[in-house]
Amino acid sequence: MIILLVKSEELEDPAKFRPIALNNVEGKIFFTILGKRFLSFMKANKYIKGKIQKGFIDEIPGCLEHTTLTFEALKDAKSNGRNICVSWLDLQNAFGSVRHSLIDFGLEHSHLPQFFRAIISSYYSNLQAKVTTRDWSTEPFAYEVGVFQGCTISPYLFDTVFQMLLDTLEQDKYQSMAYKFYSSPSINLLSSAYADDIQITTKLPRENQILLNVTYEFLQWTLTMKAKPSKCKSLAQKKFDNRYPNKVYAAAQTTTNLAYDPLLKISGKEIEFIRNNHFKYLGRFIQADCE
């Protein structure tokens, strides 16, 4: 049974609701046990990297770690006159757009045992649901796309699929693009995620655009997952020399290290520069002046 939780005030649009599955108690217990063992396997074999993906990972203060590192990187760049470019990506109905064949591919990619893959494959192949409200209910229908939100194992299945994108972004050939702290050169920042909330951090806009293109190609490969450009944000900083006005990028402030619009795109559409507006990322407000 699925109930619909409101995500906005637009009650006439079904897409504005979040479908949450109410499983039976036996199913919740079974998939909780299976999910914990699944997560232990993924962590022990480093198929999910806790430094990068912090969504649904036990005993990790993910939001705090990601936002603190991001804020410190922006302050480090501002204080030391260094280049930095950050993009924050939002996906359209991320959990509801994962194909079940992609889940199986992700499990195989992470070398999960065959018996585990068979359980998940059987579960999703035979999965049926019905939407229930106070006034009406649908007939049972096949649940053909998307992880079963509300099922206790679904967050780990989503992480497994999304990890393939993060692994692609973290390839050795892209590591030189990562922002490296001036105060601590051993610390670098390239990609980070909390479930489907993904951040890409590079030194230069052109490097960030390369990784945005890689992300777009991955989403195209999945056939069903898409970026939501209207919810994506960007920010860049560099030290401008007023004696030589920049013909491409326009500074947004008058301080030493200036924020500017990096002119990034995803899915062929422009990503909004946060300028002087507050942008909330994982519960923390971020703005161009890093105050």
Side-chain angles (χ1 to χ4, degrees), residues 277-291:
N277 299 322
H278 286 85
F279 165 63
K280 195 173 186 180
Y281 172 62
L282 299 182
R284 181 169 187 168
F285 285 105
I286 296 175
Q287 59 189 56
D289 60 10
C290 303
E291 298 296 335

Side-chain angles (χ1 to χ4, degrees), residues 35-47:
K36 295 298 182 183
R37 294 180 179 178
F38 174 29
L39 181 60
S40 295
F41 175 89
M42 296 292 285
K43 290 168 64 178
N45 291 282
K46 298 182 179 180
Y47 294 132

